[in-house]
């Protein structure tokens, strides 16, 4: 396994990688099959806590799919800000 990186590393990844830009939705991301599978397992009244939410691609898909309660955490403040911008919701925190 590789070396664990700190939040400064991930701030750079999220700020500079085209994979995580606001324009890339969950459906278009390289993780779309995983996201679709997890979404299919959720009951509609589920409460979703996403630890390591990154830029909010999956949380955005969940919200657009009609889920009322989603909360996301990431230790990258850049990712959390991008999550808020992507969803237009204040459901994300740096932790």
């Amino acid at each position: 396994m590789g070396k664990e990186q700190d939040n400064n590393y991930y701030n750079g990844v999220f700020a500079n990688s085209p994979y995580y830009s606001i324009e890339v939705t969950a459906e278009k991301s390289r993780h779309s099959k995983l996201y679709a599978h997890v979404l299919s397992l959720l009951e509609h009244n589920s409460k979703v806590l996403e630890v390591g939410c990154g830029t909010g691609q999956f949380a955005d898909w969940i919200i657009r799919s009609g889920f009322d309660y989603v909360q996301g955490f990431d230790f990258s403040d850049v990712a959390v800000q991008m999550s808020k911008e992507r969803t237009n919701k204040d459901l994300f925190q740096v932790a």
Side-chain angles (χ1 to χ4, degrees), residues 43-60:
E43 294 181 19
H44 192 63
N45 61 348
S46 295
K47 295 180 179 181
V48 178
L49 172 63
E50 187 178 11
V51 178
C53 64
T55 62
Q57 290 173 332
F58 183 54
D60 182 53

Side-chain angles (χ1 to χ4, degrees), residues 35-48:
Y35 293 157
H37 177 69
V38 173
L39 186 60
S40 75
L41 298 174
L42 296 174
E43 294 181 19
H44 192 63
N45 61 348
S46 295
K47 295 180 179 181
V48 178

